[in-house]
Amino acid sequence: SKDKEGNPLFFPWKNKTWKKSSLDNVVRQWHSIQAVFELMDEYSRTNHVNYTRVGMLRNDVMFLAPVDILRLDNGTMDTENTKFGRYPVCDRMIYGPYLGVKIWATYRFQLIEERVKSNLDPGYGMHSERFLNDSIIPYIEENFGYHKHINYDICFVRTRPDTVALVDDCIIKGSSRGWDEINRT
């Protein structure tokens, strides 16, 4: 689908770093996130487990400090927890009330068409972080009353398959929280 000027509706053509493979990767990522949450849901039904707070953490990052998902108030979700990737929110982790995280993980495909058709953020279609900030998070806040929160105690860095960790991701206000305590050898 294209807009009136011939630009693709879903492809974030305003973000000059995106390629066709970027969009393909986002679609795969969204399917994976949804599938993982659905597996957790199935496990909870099968084993009679009632989750009230959950976290979704990507495995392409290295956490430099423990993630305590019980530290937040019941009505908040941690969605903006590191210097890297706030475009304008970080899509690499979320934790908080079960229902809020469920929406974050499973409503992306349901809400993306509405975002694109409403022309809310033209030229950024399926840009994951912008979509989360403009569509998913407001949906959660408006419909369930959960609010986003930044936990400055969490620090993680992006990792790469070649064993590289991008250590500048955690430098905040001149310090690298947690990184100095890690044995990097």
Side-chain angles (χ1 to χ4, degrees):
S1 299
K2 299 193 181 244
D3 66 15
K4 294 174 188 169
E5 290 80 39
N7 296 308
L9 288 177
F10 294 92
F11 186 82
W13 50 269
K14 279 190 178 177
N15 186 328
K16 302 303 180 198
T17 63
W18 274 59
K19 306 177 269 260
K20 182 190 180 311
S21 61
S22 304
L23 187 62
D24 294 342
N25 289 336
V26 166
V27 170
R28 278 190 211 98
Q29 177 190 51
W30 288 10
H31 277 294
S32 295
I33 290 168
Q34 183 168 333
V36 165
F37 199 93
E38 289 169 351
L39 279 171
M40 184 181 67
D41 249 0
E42 181 182 325
Y43 177 87
S44 72
R45 282 190 303 277
T46 303
N47 295 285
H48 309 289
V49 175
N50 182 27
Y51 296 115
T52 57
R53 297 181 69 74
V54 295
M56 300 282 298
L57 314 173
R58 284 188 28 190
N59 65 0
D60 61 346
V61 296
M62 179 173 62
F63 292 89
L64 303 180
V67 178
D68 182 353
I69 68 169
L70 298 177
R71 287 191 70 197
L72 288 177
D73 293 336
N74 284 332
T76 59
M77 302 169 298
D78 184 2
T79 61
E80 301 180 50
N81 35 49
T82 188
K83 174 185 146 190
F84 172 77
R86 285 197 207 155
Y87 304 112
V89 297
C90 179
D91 72 341
R92 293 179 183 260
M93 74 170 284
I94 184 173
Y95 64 89
Y98 170 85
L99 185 55
V101 176
K102 179 177 184 172
I103 302 301
W104 181 91
T106 63
Y107 274 48
R108 295 172 190 223
F109 292 109
Q110 287 178 240
L111 296 177
I112 188 64
E113 274 198 54
E114 181 181 315
R115 169 187 167 78
V116 170
K117 285 180 183 175
S118 71
N119 209 23
L120 178 66
D121 195 12
Y124 288 100
M126 284 182 76
H127 185 283
S128 193
E129 294 88 353
R130 293 174 76 115
F131 170 64
L132 288 171
N133 189 66
D134 297 340
S135 299
I136 297 288
I137 303 298
Y139 183 88
I140 295 168
E141 290 176 335
E142 292 165 15
N143 291 286
F144 303 102
Y146 302 131
H147 301 285
K148 63 183 177 178
H149 172 78
I150 301 173
N151 183 346
Y152 291 104
D153 292 330
I154 290 182
C155 180
F156 60 80
V157 295
R158 293 170 289 162
T159 58
R160 298 292 182 252
D162 61 0
T163 69
V164 169
L166 304 170
V167 297
D168 287 346
D169 288 350
C170 267
I171 297 176
I172 300 194
K173 298 180 183 169
S175 67
S176 297
R177 296 174 308 163
W179 188 251
D180 292 333
E181 288 80 36
I182 300 296
N183 182 353
R184 292 180 258 174
T185 59

